[in-house]
């Protein structure tokens, strides 16, 4: 049985990942800083789905969970948990709060702590479990907002810089972990109708995650360090 560990699995993309992987017969470690009725409901349906408490901004919690799961090979590690900023939805208010002149540096630090330091710490703590698995894959969710080439509208300082950092971090990981047979990459899951994406988003979360799973399943060395979108295309840096 293949195993996936997902952060931020109580709602949005994380919940959809848990649902789809469990539905396909995978063992799922669904990590969340708080559970949700939807996630609790999944545990009743799938024996191989376990919920773990994990706040990715709290490093001792990450270390504790990694120690608890020390003997568990993890085929696919998905760093999904992420935040936009103080305002949780991609709309006018979020853009206004992240405009030039409006940047809140405490908020920026929180975004970096969750979106960048979180995946780095989680991956460092779980790398042995990934190395011990058959698939050996590490994915961190990025965004088209992290692409320098695609940035024509400016603004979005907190979120954009965090996802640009994710892209660079995953490129370094792809290089550093390749000798151990581990494939690492950043994936843009699409602009989808989650709490973060908002109701105007263009993609259905279930469709996005089916695409993401397909991209993860087909990851190979030739894609080393690229930022991949849920539809299989490559995002420019
Ligand atoms: N939706 C989009 O259009 C879109 C586009 C590109 C990239 N992404 C990326 O996809 C990922 C998931 O986004 P989403 O749309 O599903 O967002 P969402 O609906 O806002 O859900 C965010 C998830 O992250 C969790 N989370 C936040 N801070 C956390 C922390 N410190 N520790 C653990 N979990 C934490 C949340 O848990 P709580 O319930 O505890 O807050 C929630 O489960 C993010 O990395 C995001 O940047 C999303």
């Amino acid at each position: 049985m293949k195993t996936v560990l997902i952060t931020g699995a109580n709602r949005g993309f994380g919940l959809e990942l848990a649902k789809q992987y469990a539905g396909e017969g995978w063992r799922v470690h669904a990590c969340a800083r708080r559970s949700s009725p939807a996630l609790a409901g999944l545990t009743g349906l799938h024996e191989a789905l376990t919920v773990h408490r994990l706040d990715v901004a709290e490093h001792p919690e990450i270390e504790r969970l990694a120690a608890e799961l020390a003997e568990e090979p993890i085929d696919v590690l998905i760093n999904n948990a992420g935040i936009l900023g103080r305002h949780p939805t991609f709309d006018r208010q979020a853009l206004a709060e992240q405009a030039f002149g409006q940047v809140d540096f405490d908020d920026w630090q929180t975004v970096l702590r969750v979106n960048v330091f979180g995946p780095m710490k989680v991956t460092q703590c779980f790398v042995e479990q990934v190395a011990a698995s058959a698939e050996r894959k590490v994915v961190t969710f990025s965004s088209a907002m992290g692409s320098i080439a695609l940035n024509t509208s400016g603004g979005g300082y907190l979120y954009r810089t965090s996802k640009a950092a994710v892209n660079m971090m995953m490129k370094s990981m792809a290089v550093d972990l390749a000798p151990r047979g581990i494939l690492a990459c950043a994936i843009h899951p699409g602009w989808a109708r989650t709490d973060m994406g908002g109701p105007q988003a263009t993609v259905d979360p279930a469709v996005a995650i089916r695409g993401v799973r397909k991209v993860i399943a087909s990851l190979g060395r030739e894609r080393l360090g690229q930022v991949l979108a849920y539809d299989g295309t490559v995002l420019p840096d």
Side-chain angles (χ1 to χ4, degrees), residues 14 16 36 42 59 70 74 78 103 110 112 125 135 141 153 181 201 207:
E16 189 60 39
S36 63
L42 280 186
H59 291 192
I74 293 170
I78 305 181
V103 165
T110 305
L112 293 174
C125 285
E135 290 228 0
F141 273 16
S153 55
V207 172

Side-chain angles (χ1 to χ4, degrees), residues 143-166:
S143 168
M145 295 277 287
S147 164
I148 291 170
L150 295 179
N151 182 0
T152 52
S153 55
Y157 289 89
L158 286 57
Y159 188 67
R160 281 191 191 283
T161 56
S162 75
K163 294 303 185 180
V166 161

Side-chain angles (χ1 to χ4, degrees), residues 199-216:
Q200 310 299 328
T202 50
V203 186
D204 178 87
V207 172
I209 293 306
R210 276 199 290 278
V212 165
R213 285 176 41 239
K214 212 166 148 189
V215 169
I216 293 173

Side-chain angles (χ1 to χ4, degrees), residues 7-14 32-34 54-57 79-83 88 114-115 141-144 159 163 188-192 194-197 201:
T7 63
N10 57 328
R11 60 188 172 95
F13 281 142
R33 55 183 173 175
R34 52 180 160 242
L54 185 68
D55 183 332
V56 301
N79 292 302
N80 159 77
I83 54 173
V114 174
N115 293 5
F141 273 16
S142 182
S143 168
Y159 188 67
K163 294 303 185 180
H188 164 53
W191 183 29
T194 61
D195 292 339
M196 183 187 290

Side-chain angles (χ1 to χ4, degrees), residues 164-204:
V166 161
N167 295 347
M168 183 57 88
M169 178 176 83
M170 295 314 290
K171 173 70 199 250
S172 278
M173 258 188 225
V175 173
D176 293 341
L177 301 180
R180 303 191 69 182
I182 295 174
L183 296 165
C185 80
I187 292 185
H188 164 53
W191 183 29
R193 293 181 289 278
T194 61
D195 292 339
M196 183 187 290
Q200 310 299 328
T202 50
V203 186
D204 178 87

Side-chain angles (χ1 to χ4, degrees), residues 22-236:
E24 293 280 311
W26 285 54
R27 182 185 307 284
V28 177
H29 292 291
C31 305
R33 55 183 173 175
R34 52 180 160 242
S35 193
S36 63
L39 182 56
L42 280 186
T43 58
L45 294 174
H46 304 284
E47 222 172 81
L49 186 148
T50 315
V51 177
H52 304 276
R53 195 205 126 75
L54 185 68
D55 183 332
V56 301
E58 297 298 328
H59 291 192
E61 277 189 25
I62 301 171
E63 287 163 9
R64 256 195 316 273
L65 183 60
E68 202 182 297
L69 300 178
E71 304 305 324
E72 181 93 357
I74 293 170
D75 291 276
V76 179
L77 170 60
I78 305 181
N79 292 302
N80 159 77
I83 54 173
L84 195 56
R86 202 171 33 203
H87 184 70
T89 302
F90 186 72
D91 57 16
R92 277 167 178 271
Q93 189 180 336
L95 289 174
E97 282 182 7
Q98 300 201 19
F100 185 85
Q102 299 302 317
V103 165
D104 179 305
F105 291 89
D106 289 337
D107 198 12
W108 199 348
Q109 253 177 28
T110 305
V111 171
L112 293 174
R113 186 163 177 82
V114 174
N115 293 5
V116 187
F117 308 158
M120 188 73 208
K121 179 68 180 176
V122 168
T123 310
Q124 285 193 163
C125 285
F126 282 95
V127 71
E128 295 307 327
Q129 290 92 320
V130 174
S133 75
E135 290 228 0
R136 289 180 280 181
K137 292 171 181 167
V138 178
V139 167
T140 298
F141 273 16
S142 182
S143 168
M145 295 277 287
S147 164
I148 291 170
L150 295 179
N151 182 0
T152 52
S153 55
Y157 289 89
L158 286 57
Y159 188 67
R160 281 191 191 283
T161 56
S162 75
K163 294 303 185 180
V166 161
N167 295 347
M168 183 57 88
M169 178 176 83
M170 295 314 290
K171 173 70 199 250
S172 278
M173 258 188 225
V175 173
D176 293 341
L177 301 180
R180 303 191 69 182
I182 295 174
L183 296 165
C185 80
I187 292 185
H188 164 53
W191 183 29
R193 293 181 289 278
T194 61
D195 292 339
M196 183 187 290
Q200 310 299 328
T202 50
V203 186
D204 178 87
V207 172
I209 293 306
R210 276 199 290 278
V212 165
R213 285 176 41 239
K214 212 166 148 189
V215 169
I216 293 173
S218 65
L219 271 184
R221 283 186 168 279
E222 71 287 353
R223 316 209 80 170
L224 196 81
Q226 292 176 336
V227 181
L228 303 169
Y230 74 103
D231 58 4
T233 55
V234 178
L235 243 65

